[in-house]
Coordinates of all heavy atoms in Angstrom, one line a residue:
S514 N 4.0 0.5 -12.0 CA 5.3 0.5 -11.3 C 6.3 1.3 -12.3 O 6.2 1.2 -13.5 CB 5.9 -0.9 -11.2 OG 7.2 -0.9 -10.8
P515 N 7.1 2.1 -11.7 CA 8.1 2.9 -12.5 C 9.1 2.0 -13.2 O 9.7 2.4 -14.2 CB 8.9 3.7 -11.5 CG 7.9 3.8 -10.3 CD 7.2 2.5 -10.3
S516 N 9.1 0.7 -12.8 CA 10.1 -0.2 -13.5 C 9.8 -0.5 -14.9 O 10.7 -0.9 -15.7 CB 10.2 -1.5 -12.7 OG 8.9 -2.2 -12.8
C517 N 8.6 -0.2 -15.4 CA 8.2 -0.4 -16.8 C 8.7 0.8 -17.7 O 8.5 0.7 -18.9 CB 6.7 -0.7 -17.0 SG 5.7 0.8 -16.6
L518 N 9.2 1.8 -17.1 CA 9.6 3.0 -17.8 C 11.1 3.0 -18.1 O 11.9 2.7 -17.2 CB 9.3 4.2 -17.0 CG 9.5 5.6 -17.6 CD1 8.6 5.8 -18.8 CD2 9.4 6.7 -16.6
D519 N 11.5 3.3 -19.3 CA 12.9 3.4 -19.7 C 13.5 4.6 -18.9 O 12.9 5.6 -18.7 CB 13.0 3.7 -21.2 CG 14.5 3.8 -21.6 OD1 15.0 4.9 -21.5 OD2 15.0 2.8 -22.1
K520 N 14.7 4.4 -18.4 CA 15.3 5.4 -17.5 C 15.5 6.8 -18.2 O 15.7 7.8 -17.6 CB 16.6 4.9 -17.0 CG 17.7 4.7 -18.0 CD 19.0 4.2 -17.4 CE 20.1 4.0 -18.4 NZ 21.4 3.5 -17.7
H521 N 15.5 6.8 -19.6 CA 15.7 8.0 -20.3 C 14.4 8.7 -20.6 O 14.5 9.8 -21.3 CB 16.5 7.8 -21.6 CG 17.9 7.1 -21.4 ND1 18.9 7.8 -20.7 CD2 18.3 5.9 -21.7 CE1 20.0 7.0 -20.6 NE2 19.7 5.9 -21.2
S522 N 13.3 8.2 -20.2 CA 12.0 8.8 -20.6 C 11.2 9.2 -19.3 O 11.4 8.6 -18.2 CB 11.1 7.7 -21.3 OG 11.8 7.3 -22.5
K523 N 10.4 10.2 -19.4 CA 9.5 10.6 -18.3 C 8.1 10.0 -18.4 O 7.3 10.1 -17.5 CB 9.5 12.1 -18.1 CG 8.7 12.9 -19.2 CD 8.6 14.3 -18.8 CE 7.7 15.1 -19.7 NZ 7.5 16.5 -19.3
N524 N 7.8 9.4 -19.6 CA 6.6 8.8 -19.7 C 6.6 7.8 -20.9 O 7.6 7.8 -21.7 CB 5.4 9.7 -20.0 CG 5.6 10.6 -21.2 OD1 5.8 10.2 -22.3 ND2 5.7 12.0 -21.0
I525 N 5.6 6.9 -21.0 CA 5.5 6.0 -22.1 C 4.5 6.5 -23.1 O 3.4 7.0 -22.7 CB 5.1 4.6 -21.6 CG1 6.2 4.0 -20.7 CG2 4.8 3.6 -22.8 CD1 5.7 2.8 -19.9
S526 N 4.8 6.6 -24.4 CA 3.9 7.2 -25.3 C 3.6 6.2 -26.4 O 4.4 5.3 -26.8 CB 4.5 8.4 -26.0 OG 5.6 8.1 -26.8
F527 N 2.3 6.3 -26.9 CA 1.8 5.4 -27.9 C 1.3 6.3 -29.0 O 0.4 7.2 -28.8 CB 0.7 4.5 -27.4 CG 0.0 3.7 -28.5 CD1 0.7 2.8 -29.3 CD2 -1.3 3.9 -28.7 CE1 0.0 2.1 -30.3 CE2 -2.0 3.2 -29.7 CZ -1.3 2.2 -30.5
N528 N 1.7 6.1 -30.3 CA 1.2 6.8 -31.5 C 0.2 5.9 -32.2 O 0.7 4.9 -32.9 CB 2.4 7.2 -32.3 CG 1.9 8.1 -33.5 OD1 0.8 8.0 -33.9 ND2 2.8 8.9 -34.0
A529 N -1.0 6.1 -32.1 CA -2.0 5.3 -32.7 C -2.0 5.3 -34.2 O -2.4 4.4 -34.9 CB -3.4 5.7 -32.2
L530 N -1.5 6.4 -34.8 CA -1.4 6.5 -36.2 C -0.3 5.7 -36.8 O -0.4 5.3 -38.0 CB -1.2 8.0 -36.6 CG -2.2 9.0 -36.1 CD1 -1.9 10.4 -36.6 CD2 -3.6 8.6 -36.7
T531 N 0.8 5.4 -36.1 CA 1.9 4.6 -36.5 C 2.0 3.2 -35.8 O 2.8 2.4 -36.2 CB 3.2 5.3 -36.4 OG1 3.4 5.6 -35.0 CG2 3.2 6.6 -37.2
D532 N 1.2 3.1 -34.8 CA 1.2 1.9 -33.9 C 2.5 1.6 -33.3 O 3.0 0.5 -33.1 CB 0.8 0.6 -34.8 CG 0.4 -0.6 -33.9 OD1 -0.2 -0.4 -32.9 OD2 0.8 -1.7 -34.3
V533 N 3.2 2.8 -32.9 CA 4.5 2.7 -32.3 C 4.4 3.1 -30.8 O 3.8 4.1 -30.4 CB 5.5 3.6 -33.0 CG1 6.8 3.7 -32.2 CG2 5.8 3.1 -34.4
L534 N 5.0 2.2 -29.9 CA 5.1 2.5 -28.5 C 6.5 2.9 -28.2 O 7.5 2.2 -28.6 CB 4.7 1.2 -27.7 CG 4.7 1.3 -26.2 CD1 3.4 2.1 -25.7 CD2 4.7 -0.1 -25.6
Q535 N 6.7 4.0 -27.4 CA 8.1 4.4 -27.0 C 8.2 4.7 -25.5 O 7.2 5.0 -24.9 CB 8.4 5.7 -27.8 CG 8.5 5.5 -29.3 CD 8.9 6.8 -30.0 OE1 8.2 7.8 -29.8 NE2 9.9 6.8 -30.8
G536 N 9.4 4.5 -25.0 CA 9.6 4.8 -23.6 C 9.5 3.7 -22.6 O 9.6 3.9 -21.4
A537 N 9.1 2.5 -23.1 CA 8.9 1.4 -22.2 C 10.1 0.5 -22.1 O 10.9 0.4 -23.0 CB 7.7 0.6 -22.7
K538 N 10.2 -0.1 -20.9 CA 11.3 -1.0 -20.6 C 10.6 -2.3 -20.2 O 10.2 -2.5 -19.0 CB 12.2 -0.5 -19.5 CG 13.3 -1.4 -19.1 CD 14.1 -0.9 -17.9 CE 15.2 -1.9 -17.4 NZ 15.8 -1.4 -16.2
C539 N 10.5 -3.3 -21.1 CA 9.7 -4.5 -20.8 C 10.0 -5.6 -21.9 O 10.7 -5.3 -22.9 CB 8.3 -4.2 -20.7 SG 7.5 -3.4 -22.1
S540 N 9.5 -6.7 -21.6 CA 9.7 -7.9 -22.5 C 8.8 -7.6 -23.8 O 7.9 -6.8 -23.8 CB 9.3 -9.2 -21.9 OG 7.9 -9.2 -21.6
A541 N 9.0 -8.5 -24.8 CA 8.2 -8.4 -26.0 C 6.7 -8.6 -25.7 O 5.9 -7.9 -26.2 CB 8.7 -9.3 -27.0
R542 N 6.4 -9.5 -24.8 CA 5.0 -9.8 -24.5 C 4.4 -8.6 -23.7 O 3.3 -8.2 -24.0 CB 5.0 -11.1 -23.6 CG 3.5 -11.4 -23.2 CD 3.5 -12.7 -22.4 NE 2.2 -13.0 -21.9 CZ 1.8 -14.1 -21.2 NH1 2.8 -15.0 -20.9 NH2 0.6 -14.3 -20.8
E543 N 5.2 -8.1 -22.8 CA 4.7 -6.9 -22.0 C 4.5 -5.7 -22.9 O 3.6 -4.9 -22.7 CB 5.6 -6.7 -20.9 CG 5.6 -7.7 -19.8 CD 6.7 -7.5 -18.7 OE1 7.7 -6.9 -19.1 OE2 6.5 -8.0 -17.6
H544 N 5.4 -5.6 -23.9 CA 5.3 -4.5 -24.8 C 4.0 -4.5 -25.6 O 3.3 -3.5 -25.7 CB 6.5 -4.6 -25.8 CG 6.6 -3.4 -26.7 ND1 5.9 -3.3 -27.9 CD2 7.4 -2.3 -26.7 CE1 6.2 -2.2 -28.6 NE2 7.1 -1.6 -27.8
H545 N 3.6 -5.8 -26.0 CA 2.3 -6.0 -26.7 C 1.2 -5.6 -25.7 O 0.2 -5.0 -26.1 CB 2.2 -7.4 -27.2 CG 0.9 -7.8 -27.8 ND1 0.6 -7.4 -29.1 CD2 -0.1 -8.5 -27.3 CE1 -0.6 -7.8 -29.4 NE2 -1.1 -8.5 -28.3
E546 N 1.2 -6.1 -24.5 CA 0.2 -5.8 -23.5 C 0.0 -4.4 -23.2 O -1.1 -3.9 -23.0 CB 0.4 -6.7 -22.2 CG 0.3 -8.2 -22.4 CD 0.8 -8.9 -21.2 OE1 1.5 -8.3 -20.3 OE2 0.4 -10.1 -21.0
L547 N 1.1 -3.7 -23.0 CA 1.1 -2.3 -22.7 C 0.5 -1.4 -23.9 O -0.3 -0.5 -23.7 CB 2.5 -1.8 -22.4 CG 2.7 -0.4 -21.8 CD1 1.8 -0.2 -20.6 CD2 4.2 -0.2 -21.4
K548 N 0.9 -1.8 -25.1 CA 0.4 -1.2 -26.3 C -1.1 -1.4 -26.3 O -1.9 -0.4 -26.7 CB 1.0 -1.7 -27.5 CG 0.6 -1.0 -28.8 CD 1.1 -1.7 -30.0 CE 2.6 -1.5 -30.2 NZ 3.0 -2.1 -31.5
A549 N -1.6 -2.6 -26.0 CA -3.0 -2.9 -26.0 C -3.8 -2.0 -25.0 O -4.9 -1.5 -25.2 CB -3.3 -4.4 -25.8
M550 N -3.2 -1.9 -23.8 CA -3.8 -1.1 -22.8 C -3.9 0.4 -23.2 O -5.0 1.0 -23.0 CB -3.0 -1.2 -21.5 CG -3.5 -0.4 -20.3 SD -2.4 -0.3 -18.9 CE -1.3 1.0 -19.3
M551 N -2.9 0.9 -23.8 CA -2.9 2.3 -24.1 C -3.8 2.6 -25.4 O -4.5 3.6 -25.5 CB -1.5 2.8 -24.4 CG -0.6 2.8 -23.1 SD 1.1 3.3 -23.3 CE 0.9 5.0 -23.6
S552 N -3.9 1.6 -26.3 CA -4.8 1.7 -27.4 C -6.2 1.7 -26.9 O -7.1 2.4 -27.4 CB -4.5 0.5 -28.4 OG -5.4 0.6 -29.4
R553 N -6.5 0.8 -25.9 CA -7.9 0.8 -25.4 C -8.2 2.1 -24.7 O -9.4 2.6 -24.8 CB -8.0 -0.4 -24.4 CG -9.4 -0.8 -24.1 CD -9.5 -2.1 -23.3 NE -9.2 -1.9 -21.9 CZ -8.1 -2.2 -21.3 NH1 -7.1 -2.8 -22.0 NH2 -7.9 -2.0 -20.0
F554 N -7.3 2.7 -24.0 CA -7.6 4.0 -23.4 C -7.8 5.1 -24.5 O -8.7 5.9 -24.4 CB -6.4 4.5 -22.5 CG -6.7 5.8 -21.9 CD1 -7.6 6.0 -20.9 CD2 -6.0 6.9 -22.4 CE1 -7.8 7.3 -20.3 CE2 -6.2 8.2 -21.8 CZ -7.1 8.4 -20.8
M555 N -7.0 5.1 -25.5 CA -7.2 6.0 -26.6 C -8.6 5.9 -27.2 O -9.2 6.9 -27.4 CB -6.1 5.7 -27.7 CG -6.2 6.6 -28.9 SD -7.4 6.0 -30.2 CE -6.6 4.5 -30.7

Side-chain angles (χ1 to χ4, degrees):
S514 166
S516 63
C517 68
L518 182 69
D519 183 275
K520 65 180 181 179
H521 300 295
S522 303
K523 72 173 186 178
N524 58 60
I525 297 169
S526 69
F527 171 64
N528 187 333
L530 300 179
T531 60
D532 196 39
V533 172
L534 184 78
Q535 294 179 309
K538 178 186 176 184
C539 55
S540 66
R542 178 178 178 179
E543 290 170 337
H544 188 277
H545 176 77
E546 292 173 340
L547 189 53
K548 184 190 290 185
M550 180 186 85
M551 296 178 69
S552 178
R553 200 170 76 256
F554 178 74
M555 178 273 295

